[in-house]
Amino acid sequence: DSGVTQTPKHLITATGQRVTLRCSPRSGDLSVYWYQQSLDQGLQFLIQYYNGEERAKGNILERFSAQQFPDLHSELNLSSLELGDSALYFCASSVPGSDTEAFFGQGTRLTVV
Amino acid sequence: DQQVKQNSPSLSVQEGRISILNCDYTNSMFDYFLWYKKYPAEGPTFLISISSIKDKNEDGRFTVFLNKSAKHLSLHIVPSQPGDSAVYFCAASANSGYALNFGKGTSLLVTP
């Protein structure tokens, strides 16, 4: 158990809908990262938050947004869903400081039908 | 643009032998490199890392080698065990505390 909790584990929804994925980081971790893993792809970095503030953006679509709340949990909002958004979405967290690894949750499998 | 590349999608090794997984990167700003292991239906788990100031880091059966001039790193597993069968991801970051860039992974199968 990495200490990072993601809910829900599975989500099936229709095209055009909106969903919210939730992540609770490890205790004490200030950074939260969101990654997308599509079929046969590596983990694509979407966005990073650090202590409530957006720190870095990767290949995140405009239809997607995220936030980190004062209690440090984070939510990833995906809207106007398309079939191609079907993927595994991982959240990771890390402690502040240099050369630290990120710890990953078990992921949310999103299926858009 | 894939900045971290794992050119071997799969590797099969006999139990007891050495497994060598390779990774190349293109961004010379990367200064921290990691290997993650992933089982199906689970999130990636951290395995071993290396800073750019080193060229080797060892942890039990796992050793990571870094060749900065070639922009290449490798993970050696000796001896390989069936439980090592998983997908291995190479990752790199520039500027500590920033996001990791991942390769597409290499699926390792260790056969008895």
Side-chain angles (χ1 to χ4, degrees), chain A:
Chain A
D1 182 6
S2 67
V4 178
T5 304
Q6 287 187 249
T7 56
K9 285 190 177 178
H10 302 277
L11 198 49
I12 301 175
T13 190
T15 54
Q17 295 299 304
R18 182 180 188 272
V19 297
T20 298
L21 311 184
R22 183 188 168 100
C23 170
S24 294
R26 293 188 323 154
S27 177
D29 286 0
L30 299 181
S31 274
V32 169
Y33 313 81
W34 286 97
Y35 288 85
Q36 179 193 55
Q37 185 183 21
S38 302
L39 195 63
D40 294 332
Q41 296 292 315
L43 289 92
Q44 300 292 320
F45 169 63
L46 295 178
I47 197 163
Q48 177 194 4
Y49 278 82
Y50 179 82
N51 202 19
E53 300 290 326
E54 181 183 304
R55 194 176 206 189
K57 245 180 180 177
N59 300 322
I60 188 166
L61 300 172
E62 285 192 12
R63 300 183 285 108
F64 296 0
S65 65
Q67 54 184 325
Q68 186 179 29
F69 295 86
D71 67 352
L72 301 178
H73 91 271
S74 178
E75 293 181 356
L76 179 67
N77 300 296
L78 315 175
S79 61
S80 303
L81 284 167
E82 302 174 358
L83 295 178
D85 297 326
S86 296
L88 267 169
Y89 291 84
F90 288 103
C91 168
S93 71
S94 67
V95 297
S98 63
D99 293 350
T100 55
E101 64 270 22
F103 292 84
F104 282 78
Q106 292 203 328
T108 293
R109 180 172 291 282
L110 173 67
T111 303
V112 182
V113 298

